[in-house]
Amino acid sequence: MSKRKLPALLEDNSETRRPSRIRKMAAQPETTTIELTPREAQLKGLLLDAADYVNSSQPAGEPVILRWAGGWVRDRLLGIESHDIDTAINVMTGEAFASKICELCEKPEIVEKHNIASDDIGNLHKIAKNPDKSKHLETTTIKLFGFDVDFVNLRKETYSEDSRNPQMEFGTAEEDALRRDATVNALFYNLNSGKVEDFTSGLRDMKAKLIRTPLEPFQTFMDDPLRVLRLVRFASRLEFTIDPAAEQVMGNAKVLDALKLKISRERVGVEVEKMLKGKDPRRSLQYINELGLYHTILTDPTTPDMPLPDVSRWESVYECLGHLLENHAPGSISKVLVHVDEAPYYAWALSALVPWENVGEPVHTRKGKQPPPFISMAAREGIKAPNKLCDLVTAAHRNRKEILALKTAVVQKATYINERDRFGMAIRQWEAKGGYWRLQVLFSLLVESMQRWEVGAASHGQYLTHAYVVSRIDPPIAHNIEFLGEWQVFLDHLQELDVLGAPSLKRIIDGTQLASALGVKPGKWMAGALDVCIAWQLRNPGVTDPAGAVEEVNGRRKELGIPSP
């Protein structure tokens, strides 16, 4: 995605000159079909029999027509398997139709016809309306043949000026398609005809790899500003581009104000989390940056006087992280620091928050507990980050100066860099204060990258290391090699000291044993004394007799506040 300067559109009189919301459709919309898997075909057959069962009980009524909608259609057209299927019904609610399925599946002849095993039909679950979670209508879910199948009626929506929660009523398939966030999510697979129905030119946009709104973009986003984030997420996940007409208004001041006013921070957080756990988090952050969304998303809207971070060099951060994560070689920076399942998500979340690191901390009035740093507030209140992530962010902020000081000492070959206990105890302290000490180190690297990483100086897939002959390459690339080389030297040194596992170092003596050896009762002195023992262990790797550790503690009784025996 090339960086572009977006024009300022839609001035104060934009509403009076708003273009028609309805896009003109071709007389004969393009269509196609989908080759179903055996299990999908089995599910389709059961649902069509359920529709016939309903129709036979009300012969005078409008017949039931079933459509699979949205994400399943999109993904199957892209060749992606999907086990979540939304089923749209034209003349009855999802709960009513799902109840008929359960009723039908009790008939022995249906069980035999569709080869239904005992575990093929799950329980019916009604999911209540929850606008904060983007559930504007009650849906009913059943596990069928291994698929999570949601049932809901076709509907149309109308919005008020101050809410993203629409008024819902039964609608046609076209009205249901037009209310969706993107044309590629507005396709239907009609179970009765076996054809894909396209009311919004979604098939054409799929071929063009384009994310486009079914209706006019400005009013689409004003109706539901969450669609701004959803378009970013889908464009990143599918590796599509966003329609320029939509891009031009996604960062519009009125749209951003509506995003703050109408959307709960929980829902913003859900979308951001999906982006950062998705296929291409770097691309998501790039969209947020280029579309001018940062100060609307990553902020605390309940604190109006909260300062704004400088994001002018934020691109360096997410580009640097993306570059690091491309290298999976043993001992590489990403292999050492991003080494557990949840670490990639946390790493991208930290990269998103890096601009806040230079804002500092709120003024402490000395009354009560010290307020959290602004970066932690942006995480906790801006995107409602989980507690583990918030604790990590706070610890990474608090420990960054010490981490940077130790890295600098190693790079500059300070006299104390072989003091194993100095590094091991620091790592244990980082881990104890916020967990994920390796990600705290990565955060320090990323904060430094905002000033030192040269954007565009590494080609896609090329990993920079200090092993390059720096004098023979372009200065920007050499600059990046030098920067990452310093951190690689630091991590290599920690590996040589064998302190990467310091937080899990097993004590050779516990508190009860230490108190007994000193001839005193346990007390407040215990924590400091046990730290002395751990430091002694780090200086004496492999020694299993705790006598030396006890002797050192005994020699420091006064300093540690240990009473006389």
Side-chain angles (χ1 to χ4, degrees):
M1 179 177 57
S2 60
K3 190 161 185 174
R4 60 175 69 88
K5 185 175 181 181
L6 300 177
L9 298 182
L10 298 170
E11 298 178 354
D12 290 342
N13 62 347
S14 57
E15 286 86 346
T16 62
R17 296 185 291 107
R18 184 182 305 154
S20 171
R21 294 188 61 186
I22 305 296
R23 300 179 188 273
K24 291 184 179 180
M25 291 290 300
Q28 295 295 326
E30 186 177 359
T31 188
T32 185
T33 189
I34 295 173
E35 184 176 350
L36 302 182
T37 66
R39 281 303 244 185
E40 290 168 342
Q42 187 181 21
L43 174 62
K44 174 183 176 181
L46 176 62
L47 296 185
L48 287 176
D49 272 2
D52 289 341
Y53 179 64
V54 173
N55 292 335
S56 66
S57 66
Q58 47 184 29
E62 183 180 349
V64 172
I65 297 176
L66 302 176
R67 294 172 171 87
W68 287 341
W72 179 88
V73 184
R74 178 201 66 225
D75 287 349
R76 293 291 278 108
L77 289 172
L78 291 171
I80 301 170
E81 285 192 15
S82 178
H83 292 89
D84 296 318
I85 301 180
D86 293 340
T87 303
I89 311 155
N90 62 325
V91 293
M92 60 194 307
T93 66
E95 183 181 11
F97 185 78
S99 297
K100 291 296 183 180
I101 294 175
C102 295
E103 185 180 311
L104 184 68
C105 289
E106 293 178 357
K107 300 180 180 294
E109 64 272 22
I110 294 297
V111 173
E112 182 179 358
K113 176 182 178 181
H114 294 283
N115 194 27
I116 299 174
S118 58
D119 59 348
D120 280 341
I121 309 295
N123 294 325
L124 185 152
H125 298 283
K126 181 178 177 181
I127 302 175
K129 180 170 63 173
N130 187 348
D132 284 342
K133 299 297 182 183
S134 274
K135 288 289 183 184
H136 301 307
L137 195 68
E138 289 181 347
T139 60
T140 300
T141 299
I142 310 180
K143 192 85 169 180
L144 295 172
F145 302 119
F147 299 98
D148 292 313
V149 187
D150 282 358
F151 294 93
V152 67
N153 58 276
L154 292 171
R155 65 260 197 204
K156 62 180 178 180
E157 302 173 345
T158 55
Y159 288 86
S160 62
E161 289 293 326
D162 60 348
S163 174
R164 66 173 290 266
N165 302 327
Q167 297 296 317
M168 311 292 294
E169 55 186 280
F170 275 85
T172 65
E174 182 173 6
E175 288 170 333
D176 194 282
L178 290 171
R179 72 174 182 81
R180 295 176 180 261
D181 49 20
T183 59
V184 298
N185 295 334
L187 299 166
F188 293 105
Y189 174 77
N190 187 312
L191 273 66
N192 298 73
S193 68
K195 296 289 186 180
V196 172
E197 296 174 333
D198 179 11
F199 298 98
T200 66
S201 300
L203 289 171
R204 182 186 65 192
D205 292 339
M206 290 270 286
K207 290 179 180 179
K209 296 187 174 183
L210 184 69
I211 298 295
R212 187 173 61 86
T213 58
L215 300 177
E216 186 275 317
F218 178 74
Q219 193 60 40
T220 294
F221 299 140
M222 291 300 292
D223 284 346
D224 184 357
L226 186 67
R227 289 167 175 159
V228 171
L229 303 186
R230 288 177 59 82
L231 261 60
V232 168
R233 175 162 63 87
F234 284 117
S236 302
R237 174 189 166 190
L238 302 174
E239 297 182 339
F240 285 14
T241 57
I242 298 176
D243 176 28
E247 279 195 343
Q248 288 171 351
V249 295
M250 289 171 81
N252 178 270
K254 293 181 179 179
V255 172
L256 297 184
D257 285 344
L259 184 55
K260 285 184 179 180
L261 174 67
K262 294 173 113 178
I263 307 299
S264 72
R265 301 317 290 187
E266 287 82 3
R267 196 64 191 114
V268 170
V270 167
E271 287 299 323
V272 171
E273 181 176 339
K274 287 179 178 179
M275 291 179 200
L276 301 184
K277 289 182 175 179
K279 184 177 180 180
D280 196 346
R282 184 206 61 79
R283 187 177 175 91
S284 293
L285 297 182
Q286 188 171 355
Y287 269 123
I288 288 172
N289 191 16
E290 294 183 357
L291 296 172
L293 308 178
Y294 190 94
H295 293 127
T296 300
I297 298 172
L298 290 152
T299 189
D300 178 5
T302 65
T303 308
D305 57 346
M306 195 168 178
L308 297 179
D310 179 4
V311 295
S312 60
R313 285 194 54 82
W314 181 40
E315 184 179 5
S316 297
V317 179
Y318 54 76
E319 184 185 281
C320 178
L321 178 58
H323 177 75
L324 290 173
L325 294 177
E326 290 176 353
N327 184 18
H328 306 288
S332 65
I333 292 174
S334 65
K335 273 295 184 182
V336 173
L337 299 182
V338 189
H339 76 303
V340 294
D341 290 343
E342 65 270 29
Y345 161 58
Y346 285 168
W348 283 111
L350 290 172
S351 75
L353 292 162
V354 160
W356 281 101
E357 181 63 8
N358 294 326
V359 173
E361 302 192 21
V363 176
H364 187 203
T365 61
R366 304 301 172 188
K367 294 181 181 179
K369 187 178 179 181
Q370 181 179 358
F374 286 120
I375 188 172
S376 301
M377 294 169 63
R380 187 176 300 278
E381 302 302 330
I383 56 175
K384 295 297 181 181
N387 290 335
K388 277 188 177 181
L389 178 54
C390 291
D391 291 344
L392 168 59
V393 169
T394 302
H397 169 78
R398 304 278 193 224
N399 295 326
R400 186 173 68 87
K401 289 183 180 179
E402 184 181 18
I403 292 169
L404 188 59
L406 288 178
K407 188 268 288 189
T408 302
V410 171
V411 171
Q412 296 179 352
K413 296 181 168 50
T415 57
Y416 59 80
I417 63 172
N418 291 319
E419 295 176 8
R420 188 167 181 263
D421 56 330
R422 180 190 292 259
F423 287 84
M425 293 303 290
I427 288 173
R428 286 177 64 88
Q429 182 185 48
W430 303 337
E431 181 73 18
K433 286 185 176 179
Y436 300 99
W437 74 267
R438 297 173 192 242
L439 291 173
Q440 295 182 43
V441 173
L442 178 65
F443 176 76
S444 295
L445 182 158
L446 294 175
V447 172
E448 194 174 12
S449 76
M450 193 155 61
Q451 299 304 322
R452 295 188 59 184
W453 180 265
E454 295 288 346
V455 172
S459 62
H460 180 70
Q462 178 191 37
Y463 183 72
L464 303 176
T465 73
H466 56 293
Y468 277 76
V469 182
V470 176
S471 61
R472 296 184 179 181
I473 57 180
D474 293 337
I477 297 179
H479 189 80
N480 288 349
I481 292 171
E482 180 184 9
F483 165 61
L484 292 185
E486 292 177 6
W487 286 96
Q488 188 69 62
V489 166
F490 175 57
L491 296 179
D492 289 347
H493 186 69
L494 297 183
Q495 182 72 56
E496 291 167 6
L497 291 177
D498 192 22
V499 294
L500 294 177
S504 59
L505 180 64
K506 186 177 179 180
R507 301 179 186 274
I508 60 172
I509 186 170
D510 63 26
T512 302
Q513 293 168 333
L514 180 59
S516 177
L518 296 172
V520 297
K521 293 181 179 180
K524 293 181 179 180
W525 55 268
M526 184 71 73
L530 287 174
D531 281 346
V532 170
C533 292
I534 288 290
W536 183 90
Q537 282 182 248
L538 287 165
R539 291 194 302 274
N540 298 273
V543 178
T544 58
D545 185 351
V550 174
E551 181 180 354
E552 180 167 343
V553 171
N554 197 38
R556 298 171 62 180
R557 294 182 80 111
K558 184 176 181 181
E559 173 193 342
L560 295 169
I562 303 173
S564 300

